[in-house]
Amino acid sequence: EDVSAVVGSGVQGRVDDVPSRLGKPGFIDPLDLGPLVQDAQAAGATVVLVEQGDRLLGLVAVRDELRAEAADVVQSLRNLGIRQIAMLTGDNQRTAAALGEQAGIDSIRAELLPEDKLRIVEQLRKQGAVAMVGDGINDAPALAQADVGMAVASGTDVAIESAGIILVRGGLRKAVTVVDLSRRARRVMNENFAWA
């Protein structure tokens, strides 16, 4: 009952009329489970702690698997001349580093809150145009701020509403298609202006 999200941290509410929380370390103190949390994070897992009242009940370690196409998408974007590819995530640094390295991403920024992602997108826009792909609640502000926001159709409603482009089929691979089509369309428009 009385469940509410604490953005970027977890959820809280009441279970059997006892205050309860589910969330990341830092939002909930891992206490004696600290070594287990570190081991799970070192193995590339995201850790969620469970607390009821003043008792830490345990932890759940969830390992994100890299999307099969992620490394190919990163390489395809590089082949299109994209100079900088960054990963902005709320996951812990170890998990993010493991996944980012597998994908071939050169800039990995982890343990970010939505406002952190927004601030980073604003900073990147000072260097040039920014396209962002996201699917979660925490991505929504940055998707709206990016020059081009692309939401994966399987994502949250708020991410989809915040983005200018929805990647319906093909997931991340469609981001490459969007960049390529946009460049071709711009080239055709410029040619038409030149002829006119």
Side-chain angles (χ1 to χ4, degrees):
E1 300 175 331
D2 302 325
V3 176
S4 62
V6 179
V7 178
S9 295
V11 295
Q12 59 190 8
R14 302 179 73 72
V15 177
D16 296 329
D17 210 33
V18 178
S20 303
R21 298 189 303 166
L22 178 82
K24 68 181 189 179
F27 178 58
I28 298 173
D29 189 341
L31 302 172
D32 295 340
L33 297 181
L36 289 175
V37 168
Q38 291 178 355
D39 290 347
Q41 290 176 338
T46 297
V47 174
V48 178
L49 297 165
V50 182
E51 177 184 77
Q52 189 172 31
D54 294 333
R55 289 184 50 223
L56 180 63
L57 300 181
L59 66 83
V60 178
V62 181
R63 182 177 166 94
D64 291 329
E65 293 299 324
L66 191 67
R67 292 181 190 226
E69 72 271 20
D72 289 340
V73 168
V74 169
Q75 187 56 51
S76 295
L77 289 170
R78 288 192 198 292
N79 293 344
L80 288 173
I82 304 297
R83 294 187 313 257
Q84 183 179 9
I85 299 173
M87 176 183 193
L88 308 180
T89 180
D91 285 342
N92 71 75
Q93 185 64 46
R94 290 178 178 155
T95 300
L99 294 174
E101 184 178 334
Q102 290 175 45
I105 295 171
D106 37 36
S107 176
I108 300 163
R109 301 187 193 189
E111 300 181 23
L112 301 176
L113 296 171
E115 55 267 25
D116 298 324
K117 292 180 182 184
L118 176 62
R119 179 181 42 77
I120 291 167
V121 166
E122 289 171 344
Q123 289 172 351
L124 291 172
R125 287 186 72 204
K126 293 175 183 172
Q127 300 170 24
V130 173
M132 177 165 174
V133 180
D135 64 358
I137 292 170
N138 295 338
D139 296 326
L143 283 169
Q145 183 64 31
D147 294 289
V148 178
M150 294 182 252
V152 179
S154 59
T156 61
D157 290 344
V158 70
I160 290 169
E161 290 172 12
S162 300
I165 297 171
I166 314 303
L167 304 175
V168 179
R169 290 190 204 139
L172 291 177
R173 289 190 195 281
K174 288 299 180 187
V176 177
T177 304
V178 167
V179 172
D180 189 39
L181 284 174
S182 298
R183 288 183 171 175
R184 281 197 247 163
R186 183 176 183 182
R187 190 168 49 248
V188 168
M189 286 182 358
N190 287 340
E191 289 171 1
N192 286 338
F193 280 127
W195 283 104

